[in-house]
Amino acid sequence: MKRRQFLQLSGLTTTAALIPGFLKAFETNLSVLSGKRIVIVQLSGGNDGLNTLVPFSNNIYYEARPRLAIAADQVLKISDDAGFHPALLGMKYLYDEGMMSIYNSVGYPNPDRSHFRSMDIWHTASNSDEYLNTGWIGRLLDSNCKGTEHAWFAIEADDTLSLAMKGSRRSGFAVKDPKRLHAALSDPFYQQVQVGKQASEQESELSFLYKTLASTTSGADYIYEKSQAKPSSASYPQHELGKSLKEISGLIQAGSESRIYYTSISGFDTHVRQAETQQRLFQVVGDSLKSFCMDLKASGNFNDTVVMVFSEFGRRVKQNASNGTDHGTANSVFLLGGNLKNAGLRNAMPDLTKLDDGDLIHQLDFRRIYASLLDQGIGFDSTQILGRKFDSLDFI
Amino acid sequence: MTEAQKTAHLLRRAGFGYSLRDKSNLSFDEALTRLFSSNNTYEELYLQGEERVTMAELRKMTKEERREILDDLAANVKKLNLDWLKIMGKADGQLREKMSLFWHGHFAVRVRGFAQVESYINTLRKYALGNFGDLLMAMSKEPAMLRFLNNVQNKKNSPNENFAREVMELFTLGRGNYTEHDIKDAARAFTGWGVNDSDEFELKVNQHDTGSKTIFGKTGNWEGEDVIRMILERDETSIYITRKIYRFFVNDQVNETHVAALAKDFKASNYDIPKLLKQLFTADWFYADENQGAHIKSPVELIVELNRTFGISYDNAQPLLAVQRVLGQTLFFPPNVSGWAGGRNWIDNSTLITRMNLPKKLAEAGGLDMSFKSMDDESPNEFQQASQLKNKFNCRFNWELFEAKFADVATENLWQAVSENLLASKIKPDLPDYLKQKLTNPRPEIIRLMALYLVRLPEYQLA
């Protein structure tokens, strides 16, 4: 039996009808989100910021990386002392079009050089000696502001959900392939299981599980419908990141009410053979971002979008003995959008004369970027998410 | 609550559920007695025939040599993971394994070398059902711990407070029950607690600060051992540990009255762990309505319980590593020093559907067809693990033994009997329509269909 047939036979048209009480069980937070949607692109593994945006006028950089430094005549210059890696033509284009703000030396105090720990710090927006179980987007969902009651408010284009998207009461929605998920949930088992389930007054673990199941089936329906409505016809690189961004663009163009999108690309842990790896990955990243931004622009959606590109840490200033670089600290963060208040290079290039044991010293707390995205971007009081006030930046 | 339901509740919480070989009329008293008497002998986790490379030897290698060895070491940690998973499912000493899983989340350590992991887990399992003071002391001197929390860098002239802080904040007292000064001076007492070239604990005398320290308001030339003793003297320690054990075994929603009473006895018994557990498992409220079906199984609990219930045997258990990963709990890879958050934190749209699909895929010997983010510290670029998910589960259920459990049950009572066998006692799902139509099928088939339906339910995620 097909899912649709089953629903018709049951005299129901949407899964939500099965569980009316569940969705009402939440009290609604009165804050109304305004403004933009946020797209987060994570470069997993610790992207080497110094070879992403190259300080080509700095001798220390060339001395520290005799074999890995990008020659000054190779970089795609954007200022007298900064230029993109030659494979980042897409990024250079977006920068030149006034669609990008760049912040250098972004990090946090007492940096942790372990991938998983540093990534958790970025995901939970915690201090480096603090362990949180919820992510910064997850806490936005927990806040219950209007819109977050929808399972599809925050979507991660992946099979599993990142910590950033996990709240204590609600979490984001992981879906790599809307069609496949929809097909999987069309197994009559999932409807059978939910028949006759009523919301119970007390929030038992069982009702929590059924609520999650209900939002999973309704979310899968909604996202599948939107993904089929207006799939993007633009051309994207044939790579997971390109596919994910194309999927996201399709959802945006179909008018999905989702406000947060999350996707990641891995492979940036370049202890060895960094030059070849970066060349390959940067081409994918630059071209995918360019396709995505131009796609959104052409469909009139770019002014309401801010893209954040980040990695859990940068790498050490000195190259290692294997033509690679080891785990470092502060890094550059790239923000893209059609309507940035202040595009361009927003602060100085990293100071290579003042290092902490060979590592960059962070100048800007990453949570100030989150605060800007929340306060100015989507119009939600960031102190509720970050636990304290972080001064906003002026890119949006 | 019938005696059978009470027994089932005990076995599910204190261990990993019924074994396929348990007799069907196992009484509560028998189950309880066995739980506490069957832990004396246990199998150490030990990888036969593997070369054990010390950290000192690793340091002497070239970067390339080291890289190669580290890959081997990481692969061996995964072997240990699967070995332990297997033991959890099969061992008679269920309480030791369950308690070790608890302590693994409590003394959460994540290190590379498999020899270190092997030593760490065997120390945990050795002391899991002993005295908490002994366990704390052993863990504080465990090389994996000293490395993970940077105590090997804690030296007289450049103290590192990481271990001293976590030992109070996460392992014993809990936040708010110590001062920054306590941490500072405790760190000084732990200076020189390091690891020698044979990867064993060693007090490095020339790095050790023998000066006067003030901890919890008491001044003296305290040693690390003194700090641990002083921590154990504090009521907060017994309350913190008891509360955490309560949340693990009883309910995420804590009844502070019960915790306070248990903690008092726990401390009076000089931190006798089995005594505390026995008190817990024999308390009336342990079986109260609000504590039944109130615990969301952790991924490891879910996997092991399935393996145990159906006697699943694997030709290749590798895909179980991937299952742990996508469900958010990989043995020896806790998210951080505070361990797994547990409870509702296990559940999101992806993990819930994966949990509901898992038994079907296992029974069909299918694959999960998912990808996941690789975040191994030693190899974040590795995609090879993703293929584990595509790999089919090469496993068999022991249906004959499972079916035999219901040999005496009349067909019209089968649904109730199988439900009671598989689900937490207060949960009584209705027989779904499509199974009603199959009640005339051969009995083995009916039992299988019912069992596979039940273990895919949201209800099965609860214990």
Side-chain angles (χ1 to χ4, degrees), chain B residues 26-316:
Chain B
L26 185 69
S27 76
F28 177 78
D29 287 339
E30 280 176 292
L32 188 70
T33 306
R34 191 182 67 183
L35 210 48
F36 285 90
S37 64
S38 58
N39 298 289
N40 298 331
T41 54
Y42 66 97
E43 200 184 329
E44 281 224 321
L45 273 160
Y46 186 81
L47 293 183
Q48 294 292 343
E50 296 291 346
E51 198 188 345
R52 277 150 183 81
V53 188
T54 64
M55 285 294 153
E57 287 165 335
L58 264 182
R59 270 195 296 274
K60 282 184 207 135
M61 294 178 182
T62 66
K63 212 159 186 182
E64 282 67 29
E65 287 172 329
R66 192 155 58 224
R67 213 146 256 299
E68 217 161 282
I69 294 266
L70 283 177
D71 284 348
D72 290 347
L73 297 186
N76 281 340
V77 172
K78 287 167 187 162
K79 277 188 206 159
L80 278 178
N81 172 315
L82 294 174
D83 283 356
W84 191 19
L85 211 58
K86 192 170 173 182
I87 289 175
M88 285 182 193
K90 295 209 161 161
D92 289 330
Q94 285 279 289
L95 191 56
R96 180 176 300 278
E97 304 311 327
K98 193 67 174 270
M99 205 54 202
S100 301
L101 180 60
F102 170 81
W103 293 124
H104 179 30
H106 182 72
F107 293 107
V109 162
R110 181 163 167 155
V111 287
R112 293 167 168 203
F114 87 89
Q116 287 188 79
V117 173
E118 203 175 59
S119 164
Y120 156 83
I121 188 59
N122 284 323
T123 304
L124 269 191
R125 292 170 73 234
K126 180 177 171 191
Y127 293 99
L129 293 177
N131 171 290
F132 176 69
D134 295 343
L135 173 63
L136 177 63
M137 188 68 79
M139 272 296 122
S140 304
K141 293 183 172 179
E142 185 64 34
M145 178 66 78
L146 293 167
R147 288 207 170 94
F148 185 58
L149 291 183
N150 309 100
N151 210 71
V152 290
Q153 285 109 28
N154 186 16
K155 298 168 186 175
K156 187 178 176 180
N157 295 321
S158 58
N160 184 307
E161 295 174 358
N162 202 6
F163 173 73
R165 179 179 302 280
E166 303 309 5
V167 83
M168 291 192 201
E169 179 181 330
L170 296 172
F171 301 159
T172 59
L173 294 164
R175 222 170 194 160
N177 295 317
Y178 51 85
T179 66
E180 282 301 308
H181 186 85
D182 294 333
I183 289 176
K184 195 162 154 272
D185 276 15
R188 290 176 53 216
F190 289 119
T191 47
W193 280 38
V195 181
N196 65 17
D197 282 355
S198 317
D199 270 357
E200 292 156 347
F201 170 78
E202 185 177 276
L203 174 66
K204 309 214 170 196
V205 179
N206 56 348
Q207 298 171 2
H208 183 59
D209 183 343
T210 53
S212 163
K213 298 134 191 140
T214 304
I215 299 165
F216 307 139
K218 292 177 196 153
T219 305
N221 291 26
W222 307 123
E223 298 292 314
E225 286 86 350
D226 296 320
V227 177
I228 287 171
R229 183 180 45 76
M230 289 157 88
I231 285 175
L232 291 167
E233 282 166 5
R234 303 276 301 264
D235 288 345
E236 290 91 338
T237 297
S238 61
I239 296 167
Y240 182 82
I241 298 297
T242 305
R243 186 184 293 121
K244 203 161 170 182
I245 287 177
Y246 183 98
R247 288 186 58 198
F248 185 83
F249 284 104
V250 186
N251 200 321
D252 232 9
Q253 307 298 320
V254 176
N255 180 320
E256 293 292 348
T257 315
H258 295 156
V259 167
L262 289 168
K264 206 166 165 232
D265 293 347
F266 188 36
K267 186 150 178 264
S269 76
N270 191 27
Y271 294 98
D272 185 324
I273 297 165
K275 205 168 171 189
L276 169 68
L277 293 175
K278 196 159 207 168
Q279 229 178 325
L280 207 79
F281 301 144
T282 50
D284 286 344
W285 47 256
F286 184 75
Y287 303 92
D289 208 43
E290 72 262 24
N291 292 330
Q292 293 174 41
H295 169 77
I296 298 180
K297 291 172 192 167
S298 78
V300 167
E301 287 173 330
L302 177 74
I303 294 166
V304 174
E305 198 176 314
L306 281 168
N307 288 345
R308 195 169 162 82
T309 303
F310 296 110
I312 306 175
S313 54
Y314 296 82
D315 286 338
N316 170 17

Side-chain angles (χ1 to χ4, degrees), chain A residues 142-218:
Chain A
D142 279 342
S143 78
N144 240 338
C145 55
K146 202 168 172 339
T148 56
E149 70 274 18
H150 300 307
W152 49 86
F153 180 86
I155 295 178
E156 177 158 8
D158 209 330
D159 281 332
T160 57
L161 198 67
S162 291
L163 179 55
M165 304 280 271
K166 278 186 161 268
S168 57
R169 299 205 298 165
R170 257 193 216 129
S171 290
F173 197 95
V175 52
K176 187 170 194 171
D177 180 345
K179 196 170 177 176
R180 197 183 65 196
L181 180 66
H182 184 259
L185 291 175
S186 299
D187 181 339
F189 171 75
Y190 291 101
Q191 276 71 49
Q192 178 73 56
V193 164
Q194 291 183 65
V195 167
K197 293 297 169 194
Q198 295 299 320
S200 60
E201 283 305 309
Q202 86 267 38
E203 259 278 272
S204 69
E205 303 311 292
L206 189 59
S207 92
F208 167 76
L209 291 170
Y210 270 102
K211 192 150 58 186
T212 306
L213 181 60
S215 77
T216 301
T217 44
S218 68

Side-chain angles (χ1 to χ4, degrees), chain A residues 114-116 131 133 156 158-160 162 166 173-174 176 189-190 203 205 209-210 216 266-267 269 322 326, chain B residues 63-64 110 166 294 335-337 341 344-345 348-350 357 370-371 373 377 380-381 383 432 456 458-459:
Chain A
S114 136
H115 292 287
F116 72 94
Y131 305 97
N133 303 321
E156 177 158 8
D158 209 330
D159 281 332
T160 57
S162 291
K166 278 186 161 268
F173 197 95
K176 187 170 194 171
F189 171 75
Y190 291 101
E203 259 278 272
E205 303 311 292
L209 291 170
Y210 270 102
T216 301
S266 59
D269 194 26
S322 328
D326 297 326
Chain B
K63 212 159 186 182
E64 282 67 29
R110 181 163 167 155
E166 303 309 5
N336 54 57
V337 62
R344 295 186 181 190
N345 209 273
D348 58 50
N349 76 308
S350 163
N357 271 331
M370 289 173 75
S371 58
K373 303 161 184 85
D377 236 24
N381 285 346
F383 287 99
R456 294 185 67 196
E459 282 84 343

